[in-house]
PDB file of all heavy atoms in Angstrom:
ATOM      1  N   PRO A  21     -31.469 -12.525  51.455  1.00 70.00           N
ATOM      2  CA  PRO A  21     -30.121 -11.988  51.650  1.00 70.00           C
ATOM      3  C   PRO A  21     -29.813 -11.840  53.138  1.00 70.00           C
ATOM      4  O   PRO A  21     -30.696 -11.602  53.950  1.00 70.00           O
ATOM      5  CB  PRO A  21     -30.163 -10.637  50.950  1.00 70.00           C
ATOM      6  CG  PRO A  21     -31.600 -10.262  50.916  1.00 70.00           C
ATOM      7  CD  PRO A  21     -32.365 -11.552  50.865  1.00 70.00           C
ATOM      8  N   ASP A  22     -28.553 -11.982  53.476  1.00 74.00           N
ATOM      9  CA  ASP A  22     -28.139 -11.863  54.873  1.00 74.00           C
ATOM     10  C   ASP A  22     -27.427 -10.545  55.147  1.00 74.00           C
ATOM     11  O   ASP A  22     -26.714 -10.408  56.113  1.00 74.00           O
ATOM     12  CB  ASP A  22     -27.241 -13.041  55.258  1.00 74.00           C
ATOM     13  CG  ASP A  22     -26.003 -13.138  54.382  1.00 74.00           C
ATOM     14  OD1 ASP A  22     -25.902 -12.372  53.408  1.00 74.00           O
ATOM     15  OD2 ASP A  22     -25.145 -13.975  54.692  1.00 74.00           O
ATOM     16  N   SER A  23     -27.635  -9.536  54.279  1.00 64.00           N
ATOM     17  CA  SER A  23     -26.936  -8.259  54.447  1.00 64.00           C
ATOM     18  C   SER A  23     -27.685  -7.304  55.369  1.00 64.00           C
ATOM     19  O   SER A  23     -27.243  -6.176  55.568  1.00 64.00           O
ATOM     20  CB  SER A  23     -26.727  -7.600  53.084  1.00 64.00           C
ATOM     21  OG  SER A  23     -27.980  -7.301  52.495  1.00 64.00           O
ATOM     22  N   GLY A  24     -28.801  -7.726  55.919  1.00 71.00           N
ATOM     23  CA  GLY A  24     -29.535  -6.857  56.833  1.00 71.00           C
ATOM     24  C   GLY A  24     -30.318  -5.769  56.115  1.00 71.00           C
ATOM     25  O   GLY A  24     -30.650  -4.758  56.704  1.00 71.00           O
ATOM     26  N   GLY A  25     -30.582  -5.926  54.845  1.00 67.00           N
ATOM     27  CA  GLY A  25     -31.362  -4.952  54.098  1.00 67.00           C
ATOM     28  C   GLY A  25     -30.546  -3.854  53.458  1.00 67.00           C
ATOM     29  O   GLY A  25     -31.104  -2.977  52.818  1.00 67.00           O
ATOM     30  N   ALA A  26     -29.248  -3.856  53.608  1.00 72.00           N
ATOM     31  CA  ALA A  26     -28.404  -2.829  53.003  1.00 72.00           C
ATOM     32  C   ALA A  26     -27.977  -3.268  51.608  1.00 72.00           C
ATOM     33  O   ALA A  26     -27.799  -4.454  51.338  1.00 72.00           O
ATOM     34  CB  ALA A  26     -27.171  -2.587  53.865  1.00 72.00           C
ATOM     35  N   ALA A  27     -27.827  -2.302  50.737  1.00 71.00           N
ATOM     36  CA  ALA A  27     -27.364  -2.599  49.381  1.00 71.00           C
ATOM     37  C   ALA A  27     -25.877  -2.947  49.407  1.00 71.00           C
ATOM     38  O   ALA A  27     -25.134  -2.443  50.257  1.00 71.00           O
ATOM     39  CB  ALA A  27     -27.599  -1.398  48.479  1.00 71.00           C
ATOM     40  N   PRO A  28     -25.432  -3.782  48.496  1.00 74.00           N
ATOM     41  CA  PRO A  28     -23.995  -4.079  48.423  1.00 74.00           C
ATOM     42  C   PRO A  28     -23.192  -2.813  48.123  1.00 74.00           C
ATOM     43  O   PRO A  28     -23.686  -1.895  47.458  1.00 74.00           O
ATOM     44  CB  PRO A  28     -23.895  -5.078  47.269  1.00 74.00           C
ATOM     45  CG  PRO A  28     -25.253  -5.639  47.103  1.00 74.00           C
ATOM     46  CD  PRO A  28     -26.198  -4.570  47.556  1.00 74.00           C
ATOM     47  N   ASP A  29     -21.968  -2.775  48.620  1.00 79.00           N
ATOM     48  CA  ASP A  29     -21.137  -1.580  48.448  1.00 79.00           C
ATOM     49  C   ASP A  29     -20.884  -1.260  46.982  1.00 79.00           C
ATOM     50  O   ASP A  29     -20.887  -0.091  46.590  1.00 79.00           O
ATOM     51  CB  ASP A  29     -19.805  -1.754  49.184  1.00 79.00           C
ATOM     52  CG  ASP A  29     -19.997  -1.731  50.690  1.00 79.00           C
ATOM     53  OD1 ASP A  29     -20.977  -1.115  51.150  1.00 79.00           O
ATOM     54  OD2 ASP A  29     -19.159  -2.327  51.394  1.00 79.00           O
ATOM     55  N   LYS A  30     -20.640  -2.283  46.165  1.00 85.00           N
ATOM     56  CA  LYS A  30     -20.391  -2.033  44.743  1.00 85.00           C
ATOM     57  C   LYS A  30     -21.613  -1.395  44.082  1.00 85.00           C
ATOM     58  O   LYS A  30     -21.485  -0.455  43.302  1.00 85.00           O
ATOM     59  CB  LYS A  30     -20.054  -3.337  44.017  1.00 85.00           C
ATOM     60  CG  LYS A  30     -18.650  -3.804  44.178  1.00 85.00           C
ATOM     61  CD  LYS A  30     -18.437  -5.036  43.318  1.00 85.00           C
ATOM     62  CE  LYS A  30     -16.972  -5.273  43.102  1.00 85.00           C
ATOM     63  NZ  LYS A  30     -16.747  -6.436  42.227  1.00 85.00           N
ATOM     64  N   LEU A  31     -22.782  -1.902  44.389  1.00 80.00           N
ATOM     65  CA  LEU A  31     -24.007  -1.353  43.813  1.00 80.00           C
ATOM     66  C   LEU A  31     -24.235   0.069  44.295  1.00 80.00           C
ATOM     67  O   LEU A  31     -24.585   0.956  43.517  1.00 80.00           O
ATOM     68  CB  LEU A  31     -25.196  -2.231  44.163  1.00 80.00           C
ATOM     69  CG  LEU A  31     -26.562  -1.729  43.687  1.00 80.00           C
ATOM     70  CD1 LEU A  31     -26.620  -1.711  42.178  1.00 80.00           C
ATOM     71  CD2 LEU A  31     -27.658  -2.577  44.266  1.00 80.00           C
ATOM     72  N   SER A  32     -24.039   0.304  45.561  1.00 78.00           N
ATOM     73  CA  SER A  32     -24.245   1.629  46.130  1.00 78.00           C
ATOM     74  C   SER A  32     -23.325   2.658  45.490  1.00 78.00           C
ATOM     75  O   SER A  32     -23.758   3.752  45.126  1.00 78.00           O
ATOM     76  CB  SER A  32     -24.023   1.577  47.637  1.00 78.00           C
ATOM     77  OG  SER A  32     -24.198   2.838  48.205  1.00 78.00           O
ATOM     78  N   SER A  33     -22.050   2.306  45.319  1.00 83.00           N
ATOM     79  CA  SER A  33     -21.114   3.252  44.707  1.00 83.00           C
ATOM     80  C   SER A  33     -21.432   3.460  43.233  1.00 83.00           C
ATOM     81  O   SER A  33     -21.304   4.576  42.723  1.00 83.00           O
ATOM     82  CB  SER A  33     -19.677   2.779  44.892  1.00 83.00           C
ATOM     83  OG  SER A  33     -19.468   1.555  44.216  1.00 83.00           O
ATOM     84  N   ALA A  34     -21.870   2.418  42.537  1.00 85.00           N
ATOM     85  CA  ALA A  34     -22.223   2.566  41.121  1.00 85.00           C
ATOM     86  C   ALA A  34     -23.446   3.470  40.953  1.00 85.00           C
ATOM     87  O   ALA A  34     -23.498   4.292  40.037  1.00 85.00           O
ATOM     88  CB  ALA A  34     -22.481   1.205  40.498  1.00 85.00           C
ATOM     89  N   VAL A  35     -24.412   3.335  41.840  1.00 80.00           N
ATOM     90  CA  VAL A  35     -25.604   4.180  41.769  1.00 80.00           C
ATOM     91  C   VAL A  35     -25.244   5.626  42.063  1.00 80.00           C
ATOM     92  O   VAL A  35     -25.736   6.550  41.402  1.00 80.00           O
ATOM     93  CB  VAL A  35     -26.692   3.663  42.734  1.00 80.00           C
ATOM     94  CG1 VAL A  35     -27.813   4.667  42.904  1.00 80.00           C
ATOM     95  CG2 VAL A  35     -27.231   2.340  42.237  1.00 80.00           C
TER      96      VAL A  35
END
Side-chain angles (χ1 to χ4, degrees):
D22 58 354
S23 63
D29 290 334
K30 280 185 162 182
L31 177 65
S32 179
S33 64
V35 168

